[in-house]
Amino acid sequence: MLTGTKVGLRARHEDDIPVLRTELYDDVVNGSRAEGAPWRPVRPGAKDPRLVVDDTNHSVVAFSVVELEGGTLVGTATLWGIDNHNRSAHIGLGLRPSSRGKGYGTDVVAVLCHYGFVVRGLQRLQVETLADNTAMLRSAEQNGFVREGVLRSSAWVLGEFVDEVLLGLLARDWKHRP
């Protein structure tokens, strides 16, 4: 398990899936804002690719996020779009509603940076998020990510086009937290 100050990132367990599906993906608003595709219902027991880890896909590493104190499941974290040639990847996370506003997001981003830069030897990490996602913007910026641009009206979310913010962090600019 990879650890931060508040959370740990571990392999996805089978019993995580129903909780994550119910709290993150069955919610139409949250699911629509978190995905780059239209929300759709997924039947219980389906092999939902957002939740079931495909160990053969080396361009994605999916984690479950747990509290260090007690081990409670708080959400998901992903390193995706891993490009080993250019040594880059994207990061993403989703926190259960009861786990939001507790500083977990900032810690998850820190642990993903450690994993990307130290464990994987990547050169660049990138975040794309909706412009009104202040929690993700704050979590990324507190870890050294820099706003590199705004993708105007690039995301179709619940009946309207919204802006996305692109943030990047280079290994040489990352401030490792012990």
Side-chain angles (χ1 to χ4, degrees):
M1 179 164 53
L2 298 167
T3 60
T5 56
K6 297 180 178 189
V7 299
L9 275 56
R10 63 157 168 76
R12 178 81 30 88
H13 295 174
E14 193 66 34
D15 58 347
D16 296 344
I17 293 173
V19 174
L20 296 171
R21 177 180 288 123
T22 299
E23 294 193 30
L24 296 180
Y25 297 110
D26 282 349
D27 177 335
V28 177
V29 173
N30 185 65
S32 296
R33 292 178 53 81
E35 297 293 320
W39 179 87
R40 62 184 180 83
V42 177
R43 68 173 172 76
K47 298 295 182 191
D48 188 339
R50 298 169 301 179
L51 295 170
V52 177
V53 176
D54 177 1
D55 291 326
T56 65
N57 182 353
H58 297 285
S59 68
V60 177
V61 179
F63 299 96
S64 286
V65 180
V66 295
E67 288 177 322
L68 287 179
E69 196 172 302
T72 302
L73 178 68
V74 298
T76 66
T78 311
L79 195 69
W80 61 277
I82 299 169
D83 179 339
N84 289 317
H85 177 72
N86 293 302
R87 295 178 45 209
S88 64
H90 304 257
I91 67 169
L93 65 103
L95 297 177
R96 296 173 62 190
S98 62
S99 300
R100 296 175 188 156
K102 298 179 179 181
Y104 295 145
T106 300
D107 202 32
V108 170
V109 172
V111 178
L112 285 171
C113 288
H114 173 82
Y115 179 70
F117 293 136
V118 176
V119 177
R120 299 292 299 240
L122 298 176
Q123 163 62 20
R124 174 185 169 80
L125 294 175
Q126 184 169 306
V127 172
E128 300 87 2
T129 190
L130 299 177
D132 65 353
N133 188 347
T134 55
M136 186 62 196
L137 291 168
R138 184 176 49 252
S139 293
E141 289 173 333
Q142 287 180 347
N143 278 286
F145 282 81
V146 175
R147 292 184 192 215
E148 296 179 335
V150 174
L151 306 171
R152 299 178 305 138
S153 294
S154 63
W156 178 255
V157 180
L158 299 171
E160 67 178 323
F161 284 103
V162 296
D163 294 349
E164 289 181 284
V165 177
L166 174 69
L167 302 103
L169 179 61
L170 302 179
R172 69 172 181 247
D173 299 328
W174 178 57
K175 306 289 188 251
H176 174 65
R177 292 191 289 167

